[in-house]
């Protein structure tokens, strides 16, 4: 028995001395001192030892266990210290090195353009109002004088969720909601994201942003619309900016027009930026159609109004001289850092 215990002790001490990590040290401890370990098996054999020899053999087993446990504790302390030193070595900080530069975010070109437009119109007394991007067909079309058989409702242009719900194609739906629930005078702009089934290219996207404007009050006429948009253009593009209107058609306005501004790059002389025309189209506008007023519960005999719609991306492209709309959505840091 003595020789067996001595062999177990020598083998255990040798394995402990050669162990390289705490996991293997724990495994050695279980193999020797665990419930099915070598020393435990020796203790189970005590029943075969003569009664008069059991105290002596028991003491030998305890001495062996004590020696092995002391070696285990010593090695455990050494391995823990080694692991700690390795961890600290990886976490060493050289305080003489310059600190890492923080990457600070900034505003997107669309945000810059929108804030500028909101500043201009709130300065004129307009309120900023938002509405749902998932809209009822009624507010997106019918309340804006667009009947069921109108080409604008074709599925090639509109994303339908079901026959009554669409992804809004214009923020004019917000105007319909406001007119339905608010008595004139009304002066609002409604910025937001809109959706149309367009192929992606340098000037088109299936998801983009609009800013719609609406003013409803007594005795409003086209001259008020022209004056408002002239002030807007001069504030946005510079005091020398001129405007001109071209006849157009929109179902929800009558009369309707598209507005151009004189090229702020060449002053109207013609350049690459304005494609030699001297003018740049920026928005559509017109007097609110009487049918739209009626459907919203406003008496067209008593109140009149005008509306306009501006593509936010178009303003950003013009103002910051960006030649491809896709750059606004690609999140290329090299492009965005320029703003």
């Amino acid at each position: 028995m003595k020789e067996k215990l001595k062999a177990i002790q020598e083998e255990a001490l040798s394995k402990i001395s050669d162990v390289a990590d705490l996991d293997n040290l724990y495994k050695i401890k279980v193999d020797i001192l665990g419930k099915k370990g070598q020393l435990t098996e020796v203790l189970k054999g005590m029943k075969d030892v003569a009664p008069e020899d059991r105290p002596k053999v028991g003491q030998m087993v305890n001495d062996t266990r004590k020696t092995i446990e002391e070696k285990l504790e010593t090695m455990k302390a050494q391995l823990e210290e080694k692991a700690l030193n390795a961890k600290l070595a990886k976490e060493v900080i050289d305080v003489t090195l310059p600190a890492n530069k923080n990457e600070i975010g900034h505003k997107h070109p669309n945000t810059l353009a929108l804030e500028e437009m909101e500043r201009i119109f709130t300065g004129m007394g307009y309120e900023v109002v938002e509405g749902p991007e998932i809209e009822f067909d009624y507010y997106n079309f019918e309340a804006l004088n667009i009947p069921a058989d109108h080409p604008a409702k074709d599925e090639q242009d509109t994303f339908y969720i079901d026959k009554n719900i669409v992804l809004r194609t214009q923020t004019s739906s917000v105007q319909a909601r406001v007119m339905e629930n608010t008595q004139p005078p009304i002066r609002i702009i409604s910025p937001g994201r809109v959706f149309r089934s367009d192929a992606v290219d340098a000037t088109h996207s299936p998801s983009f942003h609009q800013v719609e404007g609406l003013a409803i009050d007594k005795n409003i006429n086209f001259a008020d619309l022209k004056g408002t948009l002239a002030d807007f253009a001069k504030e946005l593009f510079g005091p020398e900016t001129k405007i001109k209107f071209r006849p157009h058609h929109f179902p929800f306005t009558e009369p309707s027009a598209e507005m151009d501004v004189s090229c702020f790059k060449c002053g109207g002389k013609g350049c690459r930026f304005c494609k030699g025309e001297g003018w740049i189209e920026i928005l559509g506008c017109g007097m609110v159609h009487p049918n739209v007023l009626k459907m919203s519960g406003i008496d067209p005999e008593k109140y009149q109004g005008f509306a306009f719609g501006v593509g936010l991306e178009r303003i950003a492209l013009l103002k910051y001289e960006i030649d491809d709309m896709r750059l606004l959505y690609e999140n290329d840091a090299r492009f965005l850092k320029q703003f």
Side-chain angles (χ1 to χ4, degrees):
M1 181 66 74
K2 182 178 180 181
E3 288 75 13
K4 186 175 182 180
L5 288 171
K6 183 178 179 182
I8 291 173
Q9 178 175 307
E10 290 177 352
E11 182 183 1
L13 295 179
S14 176
K15 287 182 178 180
I16 294 169
S17 298
D18 295 336
V19 77
D21 56 66
L22 290 169
D23 289 340
N24 284 323
L25 183 67
Y26 179 75
K27 185 177 179 182
I28 292 171
K29 181 179 179 180
V30 171
D31 289 344
I32 298 170
L33 304 180
K35 290 183 178 180
K36 296 182 180 180
Q38 297 177 44
L39 271 183
T40 305
E41 292 298 323
V42 171
L43 288 173
K44 289 179 181 179
M46 288 288 286
K47 64 180 184 295
D48 299 325
V49 177
E52 62 273 15
D53 294 332
R54 287 178 184 173
K56 184 178 180 181
V57 173
Q59 184 62 45
M60 291 169 59
V61 171
N62 288 336
D63 290 344
T64 301
R65 174 184 287 276
K66 183 178 179 182
T67 301
I68 294 172
E69 286 179 342
E70 289 176 351
K71 183 66 174 178
L72 285 168
E73 288 300 317
T74 300
M75 183 55 68
K76 180 182 178 184
Q78 292 176 2
L79 291 173
E80 286 177 343
E81 183 179 3
K82 181 180 177 181
L84 179 61
N85 290 336
K87 182 180 179 182
L88 292 175
K90 292 181 180 179
E91 297 177 355
V92 168
I93 298 175
D94 187 347
V95 295
T96 64
L97 292 175
N100 293 329
K101 185 178 179 180
N102 290 329
E103 289 288 338
I104 301 175
H106 53 82
K107 293 177 180 177
H108 190 275
N110 273 359
T111 304
L112 294 171
L114 177 59
E115 288 182 348
E116 180 70 3
M117 293 174 67
E118 288 181 346
R119 180 191 66 80
I120 294 170
F121 282 108
T122 54
M124 296 181 188
Y126 285 70
E127 180 185 358
V128 179
V129 180
E130 295 184 354
E133 294 178 0
I134 300 175
E135 186 58 277
F136 288 107
D137 177 275
Y138 173 78
Y139 290 110
N140 196 75
F141 293 119
E142 293 179 32
L144 298 172
N145 201 37
I146 301 176
D149 58 350
H150 195 280
K153 298 188 69 173
D154 195 303
E155 290 186 8
Q156 293 180 348
D157 298 320
T158 306
F159 293 107
Y160 280 86
I161 296 175
D162 60 34
K163 66 178 182 179
N164 294 317
I165 299 176
V166 302
L167 297 182
R168 67 180 179 187
T169 60
Q170 54 200 356
T171 53
S172 301
S173 58
V174 179
Q175 299 177 14
R177 287 177 172 272
V178 170
M179 286 191 290
E180 187 179 77
N181 294 288
T182 308
Q183 283 300 307
I186 298 170
R187 282 177 176 79
I188 64 162
I189 59 169
S190 53
R193 184 166 55 171
V194 298
F195 307 87
R196 292 181 189 174
S197 184
D198 286 331
V200 177
D201 59 29
T203 57
H204 296 86
S205 171
S207 175
F208 56 101
H209 299 78
Q210 281 188 341
V211 180
E212 298 278 343
L214 174 72
I216 305 289
D217 205 345
K218 295 178 180 178
N219 303 316
I220 285 184
N221 55 42
F222 206 93
D224 297 311
L225 170 61
K226 291 176 65 176
T228 298
L229 294 181
D231 287 346
F232 162 66
K234 290 177 180 179
E235 280 286 324
L236 190 64
F237 297 115
E240 304 301 321
T241 304
K242 298 177 182 179
I243 65 171
K244 74 173 180 179
F245 292 84
R246 293 177 286 105
H248 198 69
H249 168 72
F250 299 109
F252 34 85
T253 54
E254 180 60 39
S256 303
E258 286 187 335
M259 189 184 90
D260 301 340
V261 296
S262 57
C263 180
F264 46 86
K265 193 73 173 174
C266 66
K269 297 177 182 178
C271 65
R272 180 193 64 83
F273 197 68
C274 61
K275 299 179 181 178
E277 298 292 329
W279 296 91
I280 301 171
E281 178 191 331
I282 64 165
L283 59 82
C285 60
M287 300 301 293
V288 178
H289 199 290
N291 289 348
V292 174
L293 295 173
K294 286 179 183 177
M295 284 186 282
S296 299
I298 296 175
D299 184 357
E301 299 295 329
K302 185 176 180 181
Y303 294 101
Q304 300 78 41
F306 61 77
F308 55 88
V310 187
L312 179 61
E313 281 80 1
R314 183 167 185 78
I315 296 299
L317 294 177
L318 293 172
K319 190 169 180 62
Y320 302 112
E321 299 184 25
I322 303 167
D323 57 8
D324 194 326
M325 182 175 173
R326 289 169 291 193
L327 291 170
L328 297 173
Y329 303 113
E330 291 175 348
N331 294 324
D332 188 330
R334 296 170 298 177
F335 168 74
L336 296 174
K337 283 179 179 178
Q338 298 178 50
F339 303 93

